[in-house]
């Protein structure tokens, strides 16, 4: 078997990206090599810079390039509302819809007995601290409509119910649907029609 070339290695790595398989990875790499000046070199530079600078926001868990993400660093976003999401992709989806003006809290997953993920594996203790630190008046639970997502929502509601108003995104979010797959109008409608937990 012939030795793998650098291009083979690149194809193998690209094939591990979500949404790409080996065939799409081969096509993408071929395209990049043909557009060396326009795409390949700038992409390599951008990946190199992000590899150095990417980090988690110490407050909310968003992914950015500084210790505090732009949302947590913006005093205008301290409006007393925190929207709790499972994953950074959900946060970004909410931001794309431009409907929510408060801050976020990324749990980093859901409670799961099967995978031995308990509250301390998620960012639930940090959420409890933020309620006092940031004078939070409303927690909006925007967790996915999966069994684990809803178990997690109930757990958080139990922990916080006496301390803050708790609401949850209205249905309209399909069962098992993740926020990232929803269009902006659906997210806006689900937020505006949120209800008390
Ligand atoms: Zn943040």
């Amino acid at each position: 078997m012939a030795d793998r070339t650098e291009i083979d290695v690149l194809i193998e790595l690209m094939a591990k990206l979500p949404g790409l398989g080996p065939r799409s990875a081969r096509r993408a790499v071929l395209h990049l090599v043909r557009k060396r000046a326009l795409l390949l070199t700038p992409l390599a530079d951008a990946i190199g810079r992000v590899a150095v600078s990417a980090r988690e926001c110490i407050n909310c868990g968003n992914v950015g390039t500084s210790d505090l993400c732009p949302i947590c660093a913006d005093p205008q976003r301290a409006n007393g509302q925190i929207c709790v999401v499972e994953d950074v992709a959900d946060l970004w989806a909410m931001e794309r819809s431009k409907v929510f003006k408060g801050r976020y809290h990324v749990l980093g997953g859901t409670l799961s007995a099967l995978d031995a993920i308990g509250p301390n594996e998620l960012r639930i203790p940090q959420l409890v601290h933020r309620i006092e630190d940031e004078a939070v008046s409303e927690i909006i639970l925007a967790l996915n409509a999966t069994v684990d997502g809803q178990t997690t929502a109930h757990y958080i509601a139990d922990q916080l119910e006496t301390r803050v108003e708790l609401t949850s995104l209205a249905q309209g979010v399909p069962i098992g649907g993740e926020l990232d797959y929803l269009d902006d109008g659906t997210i806006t409608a689900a937020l505006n029609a949120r209800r008390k937990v």
Side-chain angles (χ1 to χ4, degrees), residues 20 46 48 62 86 97 108 141-142 160 180 194:
L20 292 189
N62 190 10
E86 290 177 24
S97 76
L141 297 169
L160 302 181
D180 195 22
R194 69 185 183 277

Side-chain angles (χ1 to χ4, degrees), residues 57 59-60 62 69 72:
C57 173
N59 196 43
C60 76
N62 190 10
C69 73
C72 289

Side-chain angles (χ1 to χ4, degrees), residues 27-68:
R27 288 179 57 192
V29 168
L30 193 54
H31 188 73
L32 285 168
V33 169
R34 284 176 176 154
K35 304 264 180 191
R36 182 191 296 247
L38 204 64
L39 270 178
L40 181 56
T41 305
L43 179 69
D45 288 348
I47 288 176
R49 281 195 298 274
V50 170
V52 171
S53 63
R55 68 199 67 195
E56 255 183 21
C57 173
I58 55 173
N59 196 43
C60 76
N62 190 10
V63 168
T65 55
S66 52
D67 287 341
L68 269 187

Side-chain angles (χ1 to χ4, degrees), residues 157-187:
D158 281 347
Q159 299 294 304
L160 302 181
E161 63 185 345
T162 57
R163 311 172 64 168
V164 67
E165 184 179 8
L166 281 156
T167 58
S168 147
L169 286 194
Q171 294 310 320
V173 178
I175 297 298
E178 296 180 40
L179 283 174
D180 195 22
Y181 292 95
L182 300 181
D183 62 82
D184 297 350
T186 305
I187 292 178

